[in-house]
């Protein structure tokens, strides 16, 4: 058991961490996505703490001011997964992992390549990359266009960082108004943080494509909202093909992409169901 973490180091990079809940509890590591910070989990963690779990939520690469290397090469999924593995090493024990949006993408990579670090895996909104690519010609490409656009240098940061564009951004992403306001205050209005978050998109073509085919050996739950603007049913349903461990798919009717904000109690319940299940 370790003491409280306020930060941790991976090489020259220093990551900010929210470490809460019972110190002697099993650890749940929570990974945020784009365009949010670890505050994403603020309304989820109280129930996890009540159930006796310790939660550790880092601000990931590019979002922590001390972990913002220049150049999109640094933001490949393999590097993001390595950040998670170093955090687990700091904690000194295998952890339950939870990820939303890009946090889910990084988490899929981590549990696929280093399963011994993880007791369980709960992915929200974003399916296994193999499922994503296998569904590309079955409608997913019409949802994924923005991922290519966001990888263009400079322009996306200017558009997404413009106060005048925020109404359109909110309508397109179907963000609840309060969620969008927090995105704007924490990330959207901070050009350095926004640009670093967008570098995750720019790094997508730089990853080894074979990594998308690695199957998961960790007990897994994948939750997907039927009104998700970014990922369709085809990708969601193919996720099971890439998990060779106990697996549960939870379809959340009427929910969108921003599950921890839209339904924090439901997300906490899903997490507790997974972490409380032993293979």
């Amino acid at each position: 058991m370790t003491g409280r973490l306020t930060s941790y180091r991976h090489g020259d990079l220093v990551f900010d961490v929210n470490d809460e809940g019972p110190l002697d509890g099993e650890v749940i590591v929570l990974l945020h996505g784009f365009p949010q910070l670890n505050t994403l989990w603020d309304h989820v963690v109280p129930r996890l703490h009540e159930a006796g779990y310790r939660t550790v939520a880092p601000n990931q690469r590019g979002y922590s001011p001390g972990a913002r290397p220049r150049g999109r090469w640094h933001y490949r999924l393999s590097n993001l997964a390595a950040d998670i593995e170093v955090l687990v090493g700091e904690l000194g024990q295998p952890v339950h992992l939870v990820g939303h949006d890009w946090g889910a993408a990084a988490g899929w990579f981590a549990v696929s390549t280093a399963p011994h670090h993880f007791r369980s895996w709960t992915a929200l909104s974003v399916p296994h990359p193999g499922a994503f690519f296998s569904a590309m010609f079955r409608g997913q490409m019409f949802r994924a266009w923005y991922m290519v656009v966001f990888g263009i240098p400079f322009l996306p940061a200017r558009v997404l960082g413009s106060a005048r564009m925020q109404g359109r951004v909110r309508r397109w992403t179907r963000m609840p108004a309060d969620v969008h306001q927090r995105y704007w205050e924490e990330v959207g209005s901070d050009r350095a943080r926004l640009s670093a978050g967008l570098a995750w998109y720019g790094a997508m073509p730089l990853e080894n494509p074979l990594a998308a085919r690695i199957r998961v050996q960790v007990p897994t739950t994948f939750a997907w909202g039927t009104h998700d603007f970014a990922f369709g049913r085809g990708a969601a349903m193919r996720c099971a093909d890439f998990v060779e461990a106990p697996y549960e798919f939870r379809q959340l009717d009427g929910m969108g992409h921003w599950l921890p904000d839209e339904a924090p109690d439901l997300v906490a319940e899903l997490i507790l169901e997974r972490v409380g299940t032993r293979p």
Side-chain angles (χ1 to χ4, degrees):
M1 182 178 70
T2 66
R4 290 289 181 203
L5 291 179
T6 58
S7 64
Y8 78 98
R9 180 179 294 273
H10 182 191
D12 294 332
L13 306 182
V14 179
F15 296 81
D16 305 326
V17 175
N18 280 347
D19 180 354
E20 302 173 301
L23 262 178
D24 60 349
E26 293 184 19
V27 178
I28 302 175
V29 170
L30 301 157
L31 306 176
H32 69 85
F34 177 84
Q36 296 173 301
L37 301 180
N38 54 12
T39 53
L40 167 70
W41 305 105
D42 284 356
H43 298 296
V44 175
V45 294
R47 283 198 58 189
L48 306 183
H49 300 158
E50 289 172 6
Y53 291 93
R54 175 185 175 186
T55 61
V56 176
N59 279 333
Q60 296 199 78
R61 184 174 291 228
Y63 296 88
S64 289
R68 193 171 291 160
R70 297 185 65 180
R72 61 179 183 170
W73 181 263
H74 294 284
Y75 295 89
R76 292 172 297 153
L77 280 173
S78 52
N79 289 329
L80 306 175
D83 295 337
I84 301 166
E85 293 170 35
V86 170
L87 173 58
V88 176
E90 286 284 326
L91 293 166
Q93 58 180 293
V95 303
H96 302 283
L97 189 63
V98 179
H100 173 256
D101 189 74
W102 264 110
W108 282 114
F109 197 105
V111 299
S112 298
T113 56
H116 57 286
H117 285 310
F118 306 103
R119 297 182 177 188
S120 73
W121 166 229
T122 302
L124 305 173
S125 301
V126 174
H128 188 285
F132 169 73
F133 287 116
S134 67
M136 195 61 71
F137 294 105
R138 295 175 175 86
Q140 183 58 47
M141 69 171 62
F142 299 109
R143 296 173 180 261
W145 61 268
Y146 74 94
M147 300 180 190
V148 177
V149 174
F150 282 8
I152 299 171
F154 308 118
L155 180 61
R158 292 189 63 182
V159 174
L160 295 177
S162 167
R164 292 182 299 176
M165 293 296 295
Q166 295 316 301
R168 294 183 182 182
V169 171
R170 184 172 62 82
R171 289 190 294 272
W172 165 55
T173 59
R174 304 176 191 173
M175 274 188 176
D178 59 331
V179 177
H180 178 265
Q181 181 62 31
R182 190 170 74 238
Y183 140 72
W184 175 248
E185 292 173 356
E186 294 182 339
V187 178
S189 60
D190 184 331
R191 184 59 61 87
R193 183 170 276 162
L194 178 62
S195 297
L198 288 166
W200 292 36
Y201 291 94
M204 289 177 65
L206 305 179
E207 195 56 70
N208 182 349
L210 295 179
R213 310 302 297 179
I214 302 174
R215 283 164 168 74
V216 174
Q217 307 292 330
V218 175
T220 297
T221 294
F222 172 54
W224 168 78
T226 55
H227 290 177
D228 193 305
F229 81 99
F231 297 92
R233 182 180 301 277
M237 297 304 294
R238 285 172 174 79
C239 206
D241 297 338
F242 296 89
V243 181
E244 296 178 349
Y247 174 76
E248 183 174 4
F249 171 58
R250 295 292 296 271
Q251 175 177 300
L252 305 181
D253 294 332
M255 295 292 177
H257 182 77
W258 313 100
L259 297 177
D261 288 295
E262 293 181 59
D265 288 341
L266 177 56
V267 166
E269 179 183 331
L270 292 173
I271 295 169
L272 289 172
E273 287 176 2
R274 172 47 65 194
V275 302
T277 302
R278 295 293 182 265

